Amino acid sequence: MSTSIALQRDFTSSISGQPGEIPGCVSVIIPVYNEVNSIKELLRQVQLSPVEKEIILVDDGSTDGTREELAEVAQAPNITVIFHEGNQGKGAAIRTGLGHARGEYVIIQDSDLEYDPQDYPALLQPLCFAEANVVYGVRPDRPERGLRYYFGAKFLTLLANLLYGCDIKDEATCYKAFRHSVLKRIDLKSRRFEFCPEVTAKLSRVGEKIWEVPISYTPRTVQEGKKIRWTDGWTSIWTLVRYRFVPRSSFERTPFADAESK
């Protein structure tokens, strides 16, 4: 994957005092593609979220002026900006961001304004209190999402529950929070929007229980810049089905001899 790093400052945790070791910190990974109208406001909101954080922005080949905006905001000491030379997809951008993450926790943040960073404390609470290693934010049912997106998300949730016994309410939510060490257990391959079903499938297969908390949600339309398409729905379905039957050894990085094969 060809990337060019614009900026990555040394970021030392006030807790650990050691570069590269940031207990209690969350790495907020933001894949960005053609979001010139929203990126500055999003970053303002992320910075205002009341958690210790580093912000990792991965520009996925934007052509609308977003790259220039990111070059301006990259002066904050807790921001890392990475540029993909061309558009590779949301999943590829997240994987690039994970390669630079140094926090104990990881949150995925879309670059639009559909999700509210003030929900970070709720997402992180089950992780901080060792109640879970994986937390999903459950969106309220909003009719303005459109019937196609609404029923598509419901179907993916139903399929995930049937295949993996997840017992979750919102598989396709962007807001996913993880203990970083848990993500390191699995090898991620997604390039586009199939990141969500891939991480749901693989973490479920290695025995992780998904915790859920309610979040706020303000959906936008295709006309306002929403990028996911109906073809991504078919890819997501195939991803869920495929990873139910492939050997765990093909994606589990740290095998546990005492774990039951699922």
Side-chain angles (χ1 to χ4, degrees):
M1 185 179 299
S2 180
T3 62
S4 173
I5 303 173
L7 175 68
Q8 182 168 11
R9 298 180 184 275
D10 289 333
F11 180 56
T12 303
S13 170
S14 59
I15 300 174
S16 69
Q18 297 296 324
E21 297 179 2
I22 316 178
C25 174
V26 56
S27 296
V28 181
I29 297 177
I30 309 176
V32 184
Y33 178 63
N34 286 350
E35 294 289 354
V36 68
N37 294 322
S38 63
I39 192 61
K40 279 191 173 180
E41 174 59 21
L42 172 67
L43 283 174
R44 186 189 71 83
Q45 293 182 19
V46 172
Q47 290 284 33
L48 288 174
S49 63
V51 298
E52 182 184 5
K53 57 192 164 291
E54 62 168 357
I55 303 170
I56 302 171
L57 294 133
V58 183
D59 183 271
D60 194 36
S62 293
T63 58
D64 67 340
T66 299
R67 296 168 78 90
E68 290 74 19
E69 293 282 352
L70 291 177
E72 291 184 19
V73 303
Q75 303 308 310
N78 66 335
I79 289 182
T80 297
V81 180
I82 306 163
F83 295 107
H84 280 177
E85 292 180 358
N87 181 247
Q88 300 178 34
K90 177 179 177 177
I94 291 172
R95 289 191 290 115
T96 294
L98 284 171
H100 296 268
R102 293 165 290 174
E104 182 179 359
Y105 311 112
V106 172
I107 285 178
I108 307 302
Q109 170 73 59
D110 274 357
S111 54
D112 53 30
L113 299 172
E114 291 190 329
Y115 295 82
D116 186 354
Q118 289 298 312
D119 286 324
Y120 288 177
L123 288 162
L124 292 168
Q125 182 173 329
L127 302 177
C128 295
F129 286 90
E131 296 173 312
N133 293 322
V134 185
V135 181
Y136 286 9
V138 179
R139 296 168 291 180
D141 289 337
R142 299 287 297 272
E144 57 268 41
R145 287 170 64 181
L147 291 178
R148 181 174 59 179
Y149 293 113
Y150 174 80
F151 286 113
K154 292 294 184 183
F155 180 78
L156 289 174
T157 300
L158 174 64
L159 187 60
N161 288 336
L162 288 173
L163 291 173
Y164 300 96
C166 301
D167 192 26
I168 57 178
K169 298 180 179 66
D170 193 358
E171 188 280 328
T173 178
C174 157
Y175 264 0
K176 291 175 165 63
F178 312 91
R179 195 173 302 279
H180 197 171
S181 59
V182 170
L183 278 181
K184 291 177 180 177
R185 289 185 60 186
I186 58 174
D187 185 23
L188 294 168
K189 299 290 188 183
S190 60
R191 296 190 63 83
R192 285 184 52 79
F193 292 99
E194 72 273 17
F195 168 81
C196 286
E198 181 189 18
V199 78
T200 296
K202 290 181 175 179
L203 288 178
S204 295
R205 286 287 304 279
V206 301
E208 291 296 338
K209 174 69 175 176
I210 299 171
W211 191 286
E212 292 184 307
V213 298
I215 59 169
S216 56
Y217 180 61
T218 306
R220 68 176 180 175
T221 65
V222 172
Q223 291 72 27
E224 293 170 320
K226 195 172 187 68
K227 298 176 178 67
I228 193 167
R229 299 294 182 263
W230 68 268
T231 52
D232 295 306
W234 290 111
T235 304
S236 295
I237 291 170
W238 169 239
T239 300
L240 284 173
V241 173
R242 174 190 175 196
Y243 286 120
R244 180 62 187 89
F245 300 103
V246 301
R248 265 178 54 175
S249 58
S250 68
F251 59 80
E252 187 174 14
R253 287 176 170 168
T254 307
F256 290 85
D258 58 345
E260 291 187 9
S261 177
K262 292 183 178 288

